Amino acid sequence: MISSSPSPLIPIIILLLLCIPTLFYLAPHILPPPPPPPITFPDELEDLTLFRRATVVDSINPSKSKPKRLGSTNLKPKIAFLFLTNSDLQFAPLWEIFFDTNSSKSSNLFNVYVHADPTVNPKVKIPGGVFTEDRFIPAKQTRRGTATLVAAARRLLATALLDDPNNAFFTLVSQHCIPLHSFKYFYDTLFEVNSHQVAELRHLKYKSFIEIVSKDQFILDRYNARGKNVMVPEVPFDKFRMGSQFFTLTRRHAVVVVADRRLWKKFRLNCLRPNSCYPEEHYFPTLLSMKDLKGCTSYTLTRVNWTDSVDGHPHTYYPNEVSKELIYELRKSNFTKPYMFARKFSPDCLEPLMNMANDVIFRD
Ligand SMILES: *[C@@H]1O[C@H](CO)[C@@H](O)[C@H](O)[C@H]1NC(C)=O
Ligand SMILES: *[C@@H]1O[C@H](CO)[C@@H](O)[C@H](O)[C@H]1NC(C)=O
C-alpha cells in the first residue's frame, strides 16, 4: 500500500532550500579566490615581437657579443641592472651612491633599466640620478604567484639586449634589494680581473649566477601547481628546478631566455594554486639547467633570509636590525663568491643604511 503520510524527504528538501542562500553567502568566504586572468593574447604577441628582435640582434651579428669586437672598439663590457618593481624604488638614494660615477669612474660600465608596474607610479625622482624617465621600459602589470613576473623579467632582458651590445651581464633586482658591496667590487668580481685584456680572453667562459635547486620539500607541489601532467612533455618532473628569482645572467644566457618559447608555453599557464606556484622561481633555473647547466654557478649573489618565513615571504629587516655587523654577516657565503645584494628590507631602513653607506657598505 502506498503511504499517505508526508514523505520523510520533504523536511530535508526544505532544509536544503533554506541552505542555498547561506551557501551563496558563505562560499566566497570559504573558497579561495579564483586564479587571476591569464596573460592576454595581445600582451603575449607584443612580448613575442620584442623577444624576436632581441634574439635576432645577437644572431645576425654574433661578433657584437664577442670580446674581440669589444676590444677593437675599446669599449669595456657593461653590467645591465634590471630593476623589477611594483612600488616606489625606496632604496634609489642608496643605489645612486652605489652607481656613483664620480668616485668609481664607472659611468660607462653599467646601464639601468626599470620595469615598474604601470598601475603604480613609483617615486624615484632624484635630479641628475641614474633612474631617469628614459630608463623606464614599456611595462605591464605584475602579480605575485603568476607568470607576469617572468614576462616582466624577460622584457627587461630583451630591452637591455637590444639597447646596448656591450651589456655583458644582466643583474635582476627588486625594490627590496640593497647592495652589500661597491659597484667596483661587483664589477671586478664578475669580470674577475682588473685588466681588460684578460677579461676579454675569459669572456666566453663567464658563468651565470643563478640558483638551481633540485631537492626541496615543496618541489612536487610547485610542479603540479598548474594541474597534474600539465608540464610534460616539455618539462618532465626530473628536469624541474627551483631557485631564487634574482640572478646575474651572461649575455649568452639572456639570449637563451628571451629566445625560449617551448618552456614558456607551459610556465605561462595559469596556476590553479597560486600559493604553491611562483613561476619566477622555476622558469629560469629549469630552462638554464636544461640548456647549459655547466654555464651556471647554481648559486645566486642575492642573500635572502628564509628563517621563520611567513606566507612565502622571507624575513624582512627593520631599522633596529640594521647594523655594520648585519652587512658583514649578509656578505658571507658558502660559495666561491660573497653575496653582493640582500633582501628584503623595509623602506624605513633607508636612513640607517645611508648613514653607513660610505663607511661600511661601499668600503671594500
Ligand atoms: C634571519 O632571520 C631571523 C628571524 O627570522 C633572525 O633571527 C636572524 O638573525 C636572521 N639572520 C641573519 C643572518 O640576519
Ligand atoms: C653555510 O653552511 C652552514 C652549514 O650547512 C650553514 O649553517 C650556514 O647557515 C651556511 N651559511 C650561509 C651564509 O648560507
Side-chain angles (χ1 to χ4, degrees), residues 174-234:
S174 81
Q175 74 272 33
H176 302 293
C177 295
I178 64 154
L180 294 174
H181 281 285
S182 68
F183 173 80
K184 185 181 184 312
Y185 187 95
F186 180 49
Y187 189 92
D188 290 347
T189 302
L190 285 189
F191 296 101
E192 278 196 280
V193 278
N194 298 314
S195 144
H196 176 47
Q197 294 305 315
V198 186
E200 276 181 25
L201 294 173
R202 291 192 184 173
H203 193 80
L204 293 174
K205 285 199 238 151
Y206 291 144
K207 289 189 177 194
S208 289
F209 292 86
I210 176 167
E211 189 179 31
I212 299 175
V213 174
S214 57
K215 292 189 176 61
D216 185 277
Q217 56 173 328
F218 300 117
I219 202 158
L220 185 61
D221 265 6
R222 299 281 190 95
Y223 182 70
N224 289 324
R226 294 165 193 81
K228 283 220 154 114
N229 301 320
V230 164
M231 302 301 279
V232 285
E234 290 84 355

Side-chain angles (χ1 to χ4, degrees), residues 303 332-334 339:
R303 175 78 173 259
K332 286 184 196 159
S333 143
N334 284 331
Y339 286 109

